[in-house]
């Protein structure tokens, strides 16, 4: 039950290989806030193709791969089929689909596929990709990111007012605030406003993407297991550190309490002796 795998041929010549990692699904159920990132990146082989990924990031910013797919080209049909298998994977394990947030770029095929396959989910866009469409470089990206992370209406209005007229016109004409600003989102996602999590995974899989499909999937599996184990060890080390620090503070407080108690008993004895 650790994997959900399929090799599908539908819609004529459309072929997609899919693998889902079911072991990471408990993260969706246990974490306070989980985002699902979607992206497609080119495979570095002679035959080419595209690697489709669904990546989870929990409230502690830990990332892992939920699902991976291989297809010849990235378009609405391939995204639709990929997300269909992601939905089956999640539904079979009792995940509340209405509580999921997808983050991606503004690829029209992907937008259409998410709306069709996950109509109950929230879909927001990466502000880095939005800023690239606007132009203006680092300054526009930084200011737009600040607005997107605003958590209070007054803060949002002040920061929004600092955006250039061109940026404001683009946002008004192209996007609703709920599609990019945390403040107006339906579900909590803290300060997550970019797709950097999945971009980082794509970079980490750079060498794996040069392998043929089955070897590539094996490499993705190896990376996922290794990455999760590394994060688990880091978590255990932090927990041990927290316990040791708590025990140290408890010992200090205990010693303080003993000294205070001893001093109080001594004062009581003196007062009782002289009947003050």
């Amino acid at each position: 039950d650790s994997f959900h795998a399929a090799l599908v041929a539908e819609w004529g010549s459309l072929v997609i290989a899919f693998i889902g990692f079911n072991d990471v699904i408990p993260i969706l159920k246990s974490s306070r806030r989980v985002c699902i990132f979607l992206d497609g990146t080119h495979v570095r082989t002679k035959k080419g193709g595209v690697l489709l990924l669904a990546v989870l990031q929990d409230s502690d910013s830990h990332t892992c791969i939920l699902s991976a797919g291989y297809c010849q080209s990235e378009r609405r049909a391939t995204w639709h089929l990929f997300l269909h298998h992601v939905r089956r994977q999640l539904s079979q394990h009792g995940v509340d689909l209405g509580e999921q947030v997808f983050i991606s770029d503004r690829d029209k095929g992907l937008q259409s596929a998410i709306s069709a396959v996950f109509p109950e989910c929230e879909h927001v866009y990466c502000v880095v990709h939005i800023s690239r469409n606007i132009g203006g470089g680092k300054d526009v990206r930084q200011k737009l990111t600040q607005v997107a992370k605003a958590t209070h209406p007054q803060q949002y209005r002040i920061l929004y007012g600092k955006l250039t007229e061109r940026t404001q016109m683009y946002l008004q004409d192209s996007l609703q605030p709920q599609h990019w600003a945390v403040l107006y989102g339906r579900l909590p996602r803290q300060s997550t406003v970019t797709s950097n999590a999945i971009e980082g995974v794509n970079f980490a899989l750079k060498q794996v993407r040069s392998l043929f499909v089955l070897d590539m999937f094996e490499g993705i599996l190896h990376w996922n297991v290794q990455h999760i184990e590394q994060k688990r060890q880091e978590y255990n080390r932090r927990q041990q550190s927290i316990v040791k620090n708590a025990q140290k503070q408890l010992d200090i407080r205990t010693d303080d309490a003993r000294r205070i108690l001893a001093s109080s008993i001594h004062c009581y004895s003196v007062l009782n002796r002289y009947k003050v």
Side-chain angles (χ1 to χ4, degrees), residues 34-37 99-103 121-122 124 187-189:
V34 176
C35 295
I36 303 176
F37 299 85
E99 294 297 315
Q100 306 311 315
V101 180
F102 287 96
I103 300 180
C121 294
E122 184 173 13
V124 297
L187 297 171
R189 51 189 171 95

Side-chain angles (χ1 to χ4, degrees), residues 65-91:
I65 299 172
L66 171 66
S67 311
Y70 169 81
C71 57
Q72 282 299 312
S73 62
E74 182 182 2
R75 57 183 192 269
R76 182 188 182 281
T78 49
W79 272 119
H80 190 283
L81 191 54
F82 176 77
L83 292 176
H84 167 73
H85 283 286
V86 173
R87 184 181 181 93
R88 283 184 56 191
Q89 180 190 6
L90 298 179
S91 297

Side-chain angles (χ1 to χ4, degrees), residues 110-134:
L110 178 53
Q111 290 183 53
S112 178
I114 292 177
S115 298
V117 181
F118 288 98
E120 67 275 72
C121 294
E122 184 173 13
H123 182 202
V124 297
Y125 307 127
C126 168
V127 296
V128 172
H129 287 85
I130 295 173
S131 67
R132 289 174 185 167
N133 292 336
I134 296 171

Side-chain angles (χ1 to χ4, degrees), residues 153-272:
Q154 184 178 3
Q155 181 190 24
Y156 176 87
R157 287 193 296 270
I158 293 173
L159 293 173
Y160 190 92
K162 295 180 180 180
L163 298 175
T164 63
E165 183 179 354
R166 176 183 177 182
T167 301
Q168 292 185 27
M169 290 295 295
Y170 178 89
L171 295 173
Q172 292 169 10
D173 294 341
S174 305
L175 291 167
Q176 296 295 321
Q178 61 265 30
H179 291 308
W180 61 277
V182 169
L183 179 63
Y184 296 100
R186 179 174 62 86
L187 297 171
R189 51 189 171 95
Q190 296 180 2
S191 60
T192 306
V193 296
T194 73
S195 58
N196 290 346
I198 198 166
E199 299 289 348
V201 173
N202 282 333
F203 181 79
L205 297 176
K206 185 176 180 179
Q207 296 299 322
V208 174
R209 287 189 282 120
S210 64
L211 305 174
F212 290 108
V213 178
L214 294 180
D215 292 332
M216 181 174 64
F217 277 0
E218 184 177 353
I220 292 172
L221 169 63
H222 177 73
W223 182 89
N224 216 30
V225 171
Q226 190 176 48
H227 188 69
I228 292 172
E229 180 59 29
Q230 179 183 353
K231 293 301 180 183
R232 183 180 291 115
Q233 291 176 2
E234 291 176 2
Y235 174 80
N236 290 336
R237 284 195 294 269
R238 286 202 304 272
Q239 289 297 103
Q240 292 173 3
S241 177
I242 291 171
V243 171
K244 288 180 180 178
N245 185 59
Q247 185 62 51
K248 182 179 179 181
Q249 293 299 320
L250 180 61
D251 292 341
I252 292 173
R253 297 294 184 271
T254 302
D255 290 340
D256 290 343
R258 286 171 177 165
R259 283 194 293 270
I260 292 172
L261 180 60
S263 177
S264 299
I265 292 173
H266 176 70
C267 290
Y268 176 79
S269 299
V270 171
L271 292 172
N272 188 52

